[in-house]
Amino acid sequence: MASCASVFPVVPWESPILWRCKGRREPHQTKIPRLIDLFVNNMSSSIAIHRFVAQNSLHSSPFPLGSDSLEPEVKFRTAFSHMRTLESPVIYDTITVQDEQADFPWFGYDHSLILPGKTLERIFWEDTPWMPCFDDLLNVHESLGLARKKYNALRRRQVKAETEAWERAAEEYKELERVMLEKKLAPSLPYVKSLFLGWFEPLRSAIEKDLKLEKAKRHKAAYAHHLSLLPADKLAVIVMHKMMGLLMMGQEEGCVRVVQAAIHIGEAVENEVRIHGYVEKTKKRGNRVCQDIIFTKEQQKRRKLVMKLIKMKKLVDVQKLLKEEIHMEPWGRDAQAKLGTRLIELLIESAFVQPPINQSGDSSPDILPAFRHILKAVSVEDGKLKNKYGVIECHPLVHMGLGSTARLMVIPYLPMLIPPKKWKGYNKGGHLFLPSYVMRTHGAKDQQNAIKSVPKRQLNKVFEALDTLGSTKWRVNRRILEVVETIWSEGGGVAGLVDREDIPIQEKPGLEDSMEIKKWRWNARKAKKANNEMHAQRCDTELKLSVARKMQDEEGFYYPHNLDFRGRAYPMHSHLNHLSSDLCRGILEFAEGRQLGKSGLCWLKVHLANIYGGGVEKLSYDARLTFVENHLNNIFDSAMNPVDGKRWWIHAEDPFQCLAACINLSDALTSSSPHSMISYLPIHQDGSCNGLQHYAALGRDSLEAAAVNLVAQEKPADVYSGIAARVYEIVKQDSQKDPASDPTASLAKILVDQVDRKLVKQTVMTSVYGVTYVGAREQIKRRLIEKGKITDDRLLFRVSCYAAKVTLNALGEMFQAARSIMKWLGDCAKIIASENQPVTWTTPLGLPVVQPYRNSERHLIRTSLQVLALKRDGCLVAAKQQKTAFPPNFVHSLDGSHMMMTAISCKNSGLKFAGVHDSFWTHACDVNRMNQILREQFVELYNIPILENLLESFESSFPTLTFPPLPDRGDFDLRKVLESPYFFN
């Protein structure tokens, strides 16, 4: 470990900072706030500024592997204070600006600095005396002015992107129609866009006609009011794009369920109406409301009341009513489904396709419906359909173009060009105009009410963490995108990209052999299923690449984040983000770079070894560095010739991330000063089976803590290998038994040579998150299929059942303390659910959590197309689901709390941070500091009596119920985590 110890030193992160208040210089032992200004990191490099280093940056960040100190590695870009002539330079950083007002947060650590009326400025230790000149100050002011103009331009673009996406698409189709009529010639368009253009005008006309008919009726249809809230051309675009998007990502080939399509389309229209309302609020009062809107009876009553109040000059009451009208209530699933169904019906009546013209010319071209409404069977009894459901099926000519549809789709929730709005409430934050909610409740009223009812100050830490994640600036790694585009254009099928060609289906054999026919049908069914899955993957890849192409020329962009109901953070854009696949993670990088430094270069090599995988990530740090040194020729070749070279990077577990690391390391090592190279690559630090780490901390069990790296060891403990070894031992013993007396013996003989770490990894990983026996069986079955040694499907099923049972038993043997805590949590949930109450708790950061599981009720609504059966939560909680889901949900809420605590602390220390649940990312030069922070925050989290507080909250909420006592726990000292090099690694 000597070579790594010299790079990862242990140095206390405490240093005095001097503050100057109105000319008085006094030392204060406190942490550093950072003065912020707008986009100064983008200032012109031509400004001649001496380099100054903050006093605390002279100490290297600690990493618990050694004790040597280092020279300062990070050179901060500096600007000058204009407060007084003889002041030192101050650090600036990017700020979040919203509503044209700058917010200057103090990045404090432990102390808040409240000095009213005084100017705080950060003082630096200087190498030589220095005095700023007047020209330098002018240059800084000019740079700030340019930065403000740049921000305002980006903000205008962001507003347009959020509010005019559908409108721009409608205008484009209208312009194409105009050109086509003028030139009397069909424009040369991509296949799917030509379909859209052909459907647009008939669908728009059908919507306008339907709206006129409804206006003339005395008893209007339920959807009529909502149909009138948007222009017909915008509605037409929404319906076409949403329908094609659903078909593109659907599970069934060429069709989508009516209820799914109707609700998606209705929801999209509702969101656009809300955006339209938000935009209208910002316009001048002189704008008149469109007179063509059909008003509901309730709205008509409200209008009369408003007019009456105006005559009575009760303007305050008028304002209240208007405010309620603007902040409209959600439409609800019924209204969405009825509107969506009617729009789908109009699309079916308006959209047609034309097959290729017969070359012989002996027949006129056919005009065929592009979509049709049919019923599919859910189950069959006695040759009769028992249950049926409606689907919208597209014509094969439409399905043929779905793979290329992605680049033409309107994607409203794209990454933002400016920092997101800060979160200040349930629906206040994130995007500027697009509806944004701090939690994804999926309509669960209990959870919505819980988060709305808590005091805002209770959620301040949660909001701060989400703002921190949203303030990280990203950009597209163009070199990686270019490689992806090349491989994709050549047919994919390598580096994790799906093959662009379908699996060929053999022709039906002409023989009458029933067994051959049966085998052919089975193989044809499997090939068809695989082709459907590959089609969905191709569409998904096209969507990701479509977003990457749109964002590749941007200097940077941001991802607003929100939470799931357990408190885990997610980006609000769903396609190209860092929580997604290796493809997305390889394409993305930080927009703001930092110098590697000595430790950063070492961490870059370790990161490359981790990403390559194949067991290398389980070696010691020294062994990982040796692995990289031994493969430098392959790394240089991968960077220089990623497509036409040896392509060593393709064999990595995460190939595109590996290629990005190869390019970054190659650039550093071939530069004149590797330590000075600016790196934009995020370096990951991942937990070691993080769910079990949280259980080990809760149970304080020393053996379990050591198994998941809560204790310092020479090399990382690998819990997956430990479970695999125990499974192998059990299977080997079973294989030696007599098959006549023990039926598992024959299965064990087949399995014994296939037991390895990969076979059990997913099951071990998900065991703490409540994986069931059936889930474990399917996970192991997929791994056995990959090995390809068992070809008989029935035998494969039996072996998978046996392997799942043995794996779960081995887990129970090795992690008894974790199992006892899981059982206690499940027992508590069962008791609460017996009272028909959902399990609720509050996370350490103050976030209220309510499990949303209730027995659903079928709710029938009659629409213009068919009767739809909608599901909605009933009055009874789902007792079994409340019990089984509580242990994994509770642990998820804890790992979410740890990530958010780490994010806040990293921000306070000046680090850029991104988090993927149990994987924390920062710049290479800052990994040492982040490593110390995440360990400190883990210890701080579990110094809280979490289980005791949970039991107390249960007993206070349900005083008449008796809960089981807390499970026994060990005496493991959590402070050992601070010295464990492989806790996150």
Side-chain angles (χ1 to χ4, degrees):
M1 298 298 294
S3 62
C4 276
S6 62
V7 179
F8 309 133
V10 174
V11 178
W13 188 262
E14 300 288 342
S15 54
I17 304 302
L18 297 176
W19 295 99
R20 180 173 296 161
C21 304
K22 284 194 175 181
R24 186 179 77 246
R25 182 168 180 167
E26 297 178 3
H28 293 275
Q29 296 289 334
T30 186
K31 304 296 181 183
I32 305 175
R34 302 179 66 195
L35 292 179
I36 309 264
D37 212 325
L38 179 61
F39 292 112
V40 181
N41 286 331
N42 298 323
M43 291 189 334
S44 172
S45 58
S46 62
I47 302 175
I49 302 176
H50 292 271
R51 290 191 181 275
F52 287 77
V53 182
Q55 178 185 358
N56 72 313
S57 72
L58 295 174
H59 296 278
S60 172
S61 309
F63 186 78
L65 288 178
S67 58
D68 300 333
S69 61
L70 290 179
E71 75 281 4
E73 295 166 357
V74 183
K75 298 294 190 292
F76 294 93
R77 184 181 292 278
T78 56
F80 300 119
S81 169
H82 57 275
M83 302 302 294
R84 281 178 291 280
T85 309
L86 296 175
E87 290 291 341
S88 299
V90 295
I91 290 181
Y92 289 86
D93 200 348
T94 310
I95 64 166
T96 300
V97 179
Q98 58 189 59
D99 301 328
E100 305 300 336
Q101 291 184 347
D103 187 11
F104 296 88
W106 287 110
F107 288 170
Y109 225 170
D110 304 320
H111 309 282
S112 61
L113 300 171
I114 306 173
L115 298 171
K118 297 183 180 180
T119 303
L120 290 175
E121 298 170 25
R122 183 170 176 173
I123 307 304
F124 292 78
W125 293 96
E126 316 177 7
D127 294 330
T128 55
W130 166 85
M131 181 182 295
C133 64
F134 184 70
D135 290 341
D136 290 329
L137 297 176
L138 285 178
N139 287 336
V140 170
H141 282 293
E142 288 176 6
S143 297
L144 294 177
L146 291 172
R148 170 65 69 178
K149 288 180 181 178
K150 182 177 178 181
Y151 173 83
N152 289 336
L154 287 173
R155 191 178 193 279
R156 285 192 291 271
R157 286 181 58 199
Q158 181 64 36
V159 170
K160 283 190 174 183
E162 292 188 23
T163 60
E164 299 177 9
W166 295 114
E167 190 173 336
R168 283 201 307 269
E171 290 299 326
E172 182 185 7
Y173 292 125
K174 287 192 280 188
E175 177 63 18
L176 287 170
E177 275 189 334
R178 186 187 63 77
V179 171
M180 187 168 62
L181 290 172
E182 281 184 3
K183 297 185 177 180
K184 298 183 178 176
L185 184 69
S188 177
L189 295 172
Y191 176 67
V192 174
K193 199 154 194 174
S194 65
L195 291 179
F196 282 161
L197 180 59
W199 301 339
F200 173 71
E201 179 55 34
L203 179 56
R204 179 179 64 174
S205 300
I207 293 171
E208 288 176 343
K209 182 180 178 182
D210 195 57
L211 186 58
K212 287 178 182 177
L213 289 173
E214 288 300 327
K215 285 171 63 179
K217 291 180 182 177
R218 183 172 182 181
H219 300 289
K220 297 175 176 56
Y223 61 81
H225 164 64
H226 298 115
L227 191 67
S228 68
L229 297 178
L230 286 179
D233 53 2
K234 194 179 286 190
L235 286 170
V237 173
I238 291 174
V239 177
M240 293 189 304
H241 281 254
K242 282 294 177 182
M243 179 60 72
M244 291 295 275
L246 289 166
L247 289 168
M248 190 169 59
M249 303 304 294
Q251 299 298 317
E252 301 178 64
E253 182 180 8
C255 62
V256 61
R257 293 197 180 204
V258 173
V259 64
Q260 180 190 7
I263 289 175
H264 269 76
I265 290 170
E267 195 173 33
V269 174
E270 180 183 2
N271 284 342
E272 186 61 22
V273 170
R274 287 181 182 278
I275 293 168
H276 185 71
Y278 295 153
V279 173
E280 288 299 315
K281 278 200 301 177
T282 65
K283 292 184 178 179
K284 295 181 179 179
R285 293 181 182 178
N287 289 357
R288 302 191 67 170
V289 179
C290 176
Q291 298 299 315
D292 293 333
I293 293 179
I294 298 173
F295 292 100
T296 62
K297 290 182 180 179
E298 184 64 31
Q299 287 175 319
Q300 289 172 359
K301 288 180 182 178
R302 187 164 293 193
R303 289 184 75 198
K304 290 179 182 178
L305 180 58
V306 167
M307 298 304 296
K308 183 178 178 180
L309 290 171
I310 289 173
K311 289 179 182 178
M312 297 169 65
K313 297 185 179 181
K314 294 186 177 181
L315 298 182
V316 174
D317 294 332
V318 171
Q319 288 175 345
K320 286 180 180 178
L321 280 173
L322 291 177
K323 189 175 182 181
E324 290 173 10
E325 186 71 22
I326 290 172
H327 293 87
M328 60 181 183
E329 288 294 317
W331 292 1
R333 285 283 185 255
D334 288 16
Q336 290 173 350
K338 288 178 180 180
L339 174 64
T341 305
R342 181 55 184 158
L343 290 171
I344 291 169
E345 192 174 17
L346 294 174
L347 176 67
I348 292 171
E349 295 169 358
S350 309
F352 295 90
V353 290
Q354 182 176 332
I357 298 174
N358 190 340
Q359 295 296 322
S360 62
D362 55 2
S363 62
S364 59
D366 294 326
I367 305 296
L368 303 173
F371 305 95
R372 64 173 183 158
H373 173 231
I374 61 171
L375 297 177
K376 281 198 169 186
V378 177
S379 60
V380 179
E381 280 187 10
D382 301 326
K384 296 182 180 180
L385 300 180
K386 185 180 180 184
N387 293 316
K388 297 178 286 186
Y389 61 93
V391 299
I392 305 300
E393 185 180 61
C394 69
H395 192 277
L397 289 173
V398 176
H399 187 263
M400 180 179 69
L402 287 177
S404 59
T405 304
R407 66 189 65 195
L408 308 173
M409 300 302 294
V410 175
I411 304 174
Y413 283 83
L414 282 171
M416 294 182 68
L417 301 176
I418 58 173
K421 287 191 333 190
K422 289 193 171 186
W423 286 105
K424 297 185 183 298
Y426 174 71
N427 59 351
K428 297 176 182 177
H431 290 276
L432 302 181
F433 286 94
L434 288 172
S436 302
Y437 304 95
V438 77
M439 182 174 283
R440 307 174 183 196
T441 60
H442 302 290
K445 295 292 185 183
D446 291 341
Q447 181 65 73
Q448 289 178 12
N449 294 336
I451 199 167
K452 289 177 182 178
S453 62
V454 298
K456 179 190 167 185
R457 63 180 179 277
Q458 182 177 321
L459 298 176
N460 280 347
K461 286 292 183 184
V462 174
F463 293 159
E464 185 180 1
L466 292 175
D467 294 338
T468 299
L469 295 170
S471 67
T472 299
K473 192 176 182 180
W474 299 86
R475 72 178 187 184
V476 170
N477 187 331
R478 296 182 190 175
R479 293 167 74 175
I480 300 298
L481 180 59
E482 185 179 345
V483 173
V484 174
E485 294 278 23
T486 301
I487 295 174
W488 188 240
S489 66
E490 293 175 355
V494 295
L497 290 177
V498 63
D499 199 316
R500 300 187 74 175
E501 294 294 328
D502 278 347
I503 299 171
I505 300 176
Q506 296 178 349
E507 293 185 6
K508 185 176 180 180
L511 301 174
E512 295 297 328
D513 188 344
S514 60
M515 290 302 296
E516 285 294 321
I517 296 291
K518 190 175 182 180
K519 185 178 179 181
W520 171 81
R521 284 176 180 165
W522 178 256
N523 289 334
R525 194 180 299 119
K526 284 174 66 176
K528 191 173 182 181
K529 182 182 178 184
N531 287 339
N532 287 343
E533 291 172 353
M534 289 167 62
H535 172 76
Q537 291 173 21
R538 287 184 211 114
C539 294
D540 181 59
T541 301
E542 281 287 356
L543 280 169
K544 289 176 168 58
L545 292 179
S546 174
V547 177
R549 293 175 192 126
K550 288 177 182 177
M551 307 305 296
Q552 66 177 327
D553 294 326
E554 302 294 344
E555 182 185 296
F557 46 85
Y558 303 84
Y559 290 104
H561 283 63
N562 63 0
L563 305 168
D564 67 8
F565 77 92
R566 303 162 301 186
R568 277 187 152 191
Y570 295 84
M572 293 175 69
H573 169 75
S574 58
H575 301 301
L576 183 74
N577 66 65
H578 55 287
L579 263 76
S580 192
S581 62
D582 168 64
L583 171 64
C584 296
R585 295 184 183 191
I587 288 175
L588 292 172
E589 64 181 2
F590 290 138
E592 299 169 8
R594 294 191 176 181
Q595 287 184 349
L596 274 177
K598 188 177 179 183
S599 69
L601 182 61
C602 189
W603 275 118
L604 176 56
K605 293 177 181 179
V606 170
H607 173 73
L608 199 159
N610 291 342
I611 291 299
Y612 191 83
V616 178
E617 75 279 11
K618 295 303 173 187
L619 302 175
S620 67
Y621 285 125
D622 278 348
R624 292 182 225 180
L625 293 174
T626 301
F627 170 83
V628 171
E629 295 294 336
N630 292 340
H631 289 86
L632 282 178
N633 288 336
N634 290 325
I635 291 168
F636 290 143
D637 177 75
S638 297
M640 295 295 294
N641 302 294
V643 178
D644 301 322
K646 300 175 184 177
R647 304 213 289 187
W648 173 80
W649 62 276
I650 278 179
H651 305 292
E653 287 188 1
D654 297 305
F656 289 113
Q657 292 177 80
C658 180
L659 178 59
C662 287
I663 292 172
N664 206 241
L665 182 60
S666 176
D667 289 347
L669 296 180
T670 55
S671 69
S672 57
S673 177
H675 297 168
S676 301
M677 193 202 77
I678 303 297
S679 174
Y680 299 85
L681 191 71
I683 303 299
H684 310 174
Q685 295 289 282
D686 299 347
S688 302
C689 198
N690 191 240
L692 285 174
Q693 288 181 323
H694 284 277
Y695 273 116
L698 285 170
R700 299 293 203 275
D701 185 277
S702 297
L703 291 177
E704 294 181 14
V708 289
N709 293 304
L710 268 61
V711 180
Q713 300 173 79
E714 289 188 4
K715 68 176 185 177
D718 183 12
V719 64
Y720 308 116
S721 297
I723 296 293
R726 179 58 184 148
V727 169
Y728 177 77
E729 184 182 334
I730 297 171
V731 172
K732 189 174 181 181
Q733 290 174 0
D734 288 349
S735 68
Q736 295 170 355
K737 297 177 181 177
D738 182 9
S741 59
D742 192 338
T744 62
S746 58
L747 300 176
K749 287 179 181 178
I750 297 170
L751 183 64
V752 68
D753 294 329
Q754 302 189 62
V755 176
D756 57 14
R757 181 180 184 272
K758 189 174 183 180
L759 184 73
V760 303
K761 180 179 178 181
Q762 190 178 11
T763 302
V764 174
M765 190 186 305
T766 55
S767 64
V768 294
Y769 300 130
V771 68
T772 62
Y773 165 74
V774 173
R777 182 193 69 204
E778 292 303 307
Q779 291 167 350
I780 290 173
K781 183 180 175 182
R782 285 193 289 270
R783 301 293 83 78
L784 292 172
I785 291 173
E786 290 171 3
K787 293 177 182 292
K789 293 184 179 181
I790 306 175
T791 54
D792 183 84
D793 290 317
R794 292 182 179 179
L795 180 61
L796 176 67
F797 179 81
R798 291 173 59 209
V799 172
S800 301
C801 291
Y802 168 68
K805 183 179 178 181
V806 172
T807 303
L808 292 175
N809 288 340
L811 265 166
E813 292 175 11
M814 290 188 66
F815 290 92
Q816 293 181 1
R819 288 287 176 185
S820 67
I821 295 174
M822 288 185 212
K823 184 179 183 304
W824 180 81
L825 292 171
D827 290 343
C828 291
K830 182 179 179 181
I831 293 169
I832 293 170
S834 68
E835 296 292 304
N836 195 33
Q837 292 295 322
V839 181
T840 65
W841 70 97
T842 302
T843 72
L845 288 185
L847 181 73
V849 179
V850 182
Q851 291 199 142
Y853 313 116
R854 289 184 174 272
N855 293 326
S856 59
E857 297 175 348
R858 284 186 57 180
H859 170 54
L860 300 180
I861 62 166
R862 185 174 299 278
T863 70
S864 58
L865 195 62
Q866 68 171 67
V867 174
L868 296 181
L870 302 183
K871 285 185 179 181
R872 61 184 179 189
D873 288 341
C875 298
L876 300 177
V877 300
K880 184 177 180 180
Q881 204 171 0
Q882 289 283 342
K883 175 187 174 181
T884 57
F886 180 43
N889 286 340
F890 185 67
V891 172
H892 278 312
S893 74
L894 294 177
D895 71 36
S897 297
H898 179 223
M899 194 269 278
M900 288 193 280
M901 291 166 68
T902 303
I904 294 170
S905 189
C906 283
K907 180 200 73 170
N908 292 341
S909 295
L911 278 62
K912 291 297 177 184
F913 178 86
V916 185
H917 306 323
D918 61 349
S919 180
F920 300 167
W921 302 6
T922 193
H923 289 92
C925 63
D926 294 327
V927 172
N928 283 343
R929 178 64 181 133
M930 185 182 74
N931 266 320
Q932 186 204 17
I933 287 172
L934 67 88
R935 286 160 173 77
E936 290 173 347
Q937 296 304 314
F938 188 83
V939 173
E940 182 179 332
L941 174 65
Y942 284 102
N943 279 335
I944 301 170
I946 291 174
L947 293 181
E948 287 80 358
N949 291 349
L950 181 66
L951 179 58
E952 184 182 343
S953 71
F954 287 164
E955 290 174 339
S956 62
S957 299
F958 305 97
T960 61
L961 300 180
T962 302
F963 293 93
L966 288 169
D968 295 333
R969 278 165 288 174
D971 56 359
F972 173 68
D973 183 3
L974 265 179
R975 289 174 297 179
K976 291 183 179 180
V977 171
L978 299 174
E979 303 301 324
S980 173
Y982 300 111
F983 169 60
F984 270 59
N985 72 94

